[in-house]
Amino acid sequence: MLVLAIEQVFNTFRHALDAKTGAPLFSKQAWIKTNAVVKLAREGYLSDIEGVVLYERAGVDQYGLQKFKCLRGTNNVKDGPHSDIYRKFGAFN
């Protein structure tokens, strides 16, 4: 389900242009990275493990939306499956 949602977003904006510059939102290099994200999703790296609670309720914001606290923290995933994200996808900046 996650893969389909990601692909739908990428495909929806496939030909979109930046409103300010008129440049495509997705360059050739960006498409390489989007394909890497889809691959990671297919491999299960972007989904939580079924049956493992990784979030707890952390109150409600000023708009009445539920806030959550992530319980896994960076120390818990160091050198784990998330390190593949950086190898395959690259830095976010």
Side-chain angles (χ1 to χ4, degrees):
M1 182 164 205
L2 178 62
V3 172
L4 294 176
I6 292 171
E7 288 177 328
Q8 183 176 1
V9 170
F10 289 154
N11 289 327
T12 298
F13 296 100
R14 174 179 293 276
H15 300 293
L17 301 176
D18 182 284
K20 195 172 189 177
T21 67
L25 289 181
F26 290 95
S27 65
K28 187 174 183 176
Q29 183 65 28
W31 278 112
I32 291 170
K33 293 196 178 217
T34 59
N35 289 330
V37 169
V38 171
K39 183 178 181 193
L40 287 170
R42 277 196 185 104
E43 293 172 354
Y45 290 111
L46 304 183
S47 298
D48 292 336
I49 300 167
E50 192 172 328
V52 177
V53 177
L54 297 173
Y55 304 93
E56 65 182 19
R57 292 177 186 262
V60 177
D61 73 6
Q62 63 190 13
Y63 303 105
L65 299 173
Q66 180 68 54
K67 295 185 338 183
F68 291 90
K69 176 184 175 188
C70 179
L71 302 176
R72 59 178 147 193
T74 55
N75 288 337
N76 294 340
V77 297
K78 185 178 181 206
D79 298 324
H82 292 86
S83 61
D84 283 345
I85 292 172
Y86 295 106
R87 283 195 295 275
K88 292 181 182 177
F89 185 67
F92 293 112
N93 51 18

